[in-house]
Amino acid sequence: SITYSFELKPKWGDLPKNPLSKAEKVMCRHCIQQYQKLRMGKVKEISQFCPIQLFGDSKSQLTALMALFQTPQNNFVFRVNGEHRNINEMRELPFPWDKAVILEELTDLCDAEMAAEFMHSTLSHTEQSILLLVLQALQHSHILDLLKHIQNVSDIDRKSV
């Protein structure tokens, strides 16, 4: 049998408590680093993924996940039987969910307007299905709530995480 897995690296879910620069007052560390990586030539484009959105409400989480699908960099990894695969291979997987089911499930998680916008995105049917599964897993597991709590009470310097 084939096992598909997805690794999501949520990063730090808030603005710094003690900002070191003006940028850190309005942008999270991950977003600031995107500009630095672009300037240094480490990435070809800035990821639209923002960890703060991932730790937000369902609509914000959906926006964050869509950004991860479009520019995953190393924050969203796809594997088949434990082997790292190019994210483009994921787009070709057959997936049994009907678009009406996806729309209904997303409407329950977010709202009708956001679900309709999502359905008209450039994501493939398979990507939409997988994104919905990831969103449902995040919502039902409450893992992001737990992680945010740990981040808020942690004495660990955020730059060492």
Side-chain angles (χ1 to χ4, degrees):
S1 73
I2 297 174
T3 302
Y4 300 107
S5 63
F6 305 92
E7 177 184 340
L8 173 64
K9 298 178 184 176
K11 308 295 182 190
W12 200 265
D14 210 346
L15 292 174
K17 290 180 178 129
N18 300 307
L20 301 174
S21 69
K22 288 180 183 179
E24 284 188 341
K25 291 179 182 179
V26 294
M27 294 174 75
C28 70
R29 185 168 178 260
H30 170 78
C31 292
I32 292 169
Q33 286 179 334
Q34 285 294 302
Y35 287 97
Q36 293 169 339
K37 287 179 181 181
L38 183 67
R39 191 176 61 241
M40 294 171 19
K42 291 184 176 181
V43 295
K44 293 181 182 179
E45 64 180 316
I46 292 174
S47 173
Q48 298 305 306
F49 167 66
C50 179
I52 293 174
Q53 290 177 324
L54 188 64
F55 285 88
D57 63 11
S58 296
K59 289 181 186 181
S60 296
Q61 289 176 343
L62 182 59
T63 300
L65 290 171
M66 287 174 65
L68 276 174
F69 272 66
Q70 292 167 348
T71 51
Q73 294 179 355
N74 70 335
N75 300 309
F76 189 74
V77 178
F78 169 58
R79 290 187 172 84
V80 178
N81 293 332
E83 292 183 30
H84 184 274
R85 296 293 180 93
N86 185 299
I87 199 80
N88 291 323
E89 291 181 47
M90 177 190 66
R91 293 178 174 108
E92 305 305 320
L93 295 174
F95 214 87
W97 278 4
D98 183 80
K99 284 194 175 268
V101 171
I102 297 171
L103 182 61
E104 181 181 335
E105 292 291 325
L106 273 175
T107 301
D108 288 346
L109 286 173
C110 300
D111 62 33
E113 183 181 334
M114 187 73 180
E117 180 182 322
F118 172 78
M119 296 304 291
H120 290 95
S121 71
T122 59
L123 298 173
S124 71
H125 178 235
T126 298
E127 289 173 304
Q128 290 173 341
S129 300
I130 292 169
L131 193 147
L132 176 58
L133 283 174
V134 172
L135 182 60
Q136 288 175 323
L138 292 173
Q139 293 281 313
H140 294 300
S141 70
H142 303 286
I143 190 69
L144 292 175
D145 294 334
L146 178 60
L147 184 56
K148 180 129 183 179
H149 174 73
I150 291 168
Q151 289 176 351
N152 285 334
V153 299
S154 175
D155 288 335
I156 299 171
D157 182 309
R158 64 176 162 54
K159 291 190 176 184
S160 65
V161 176

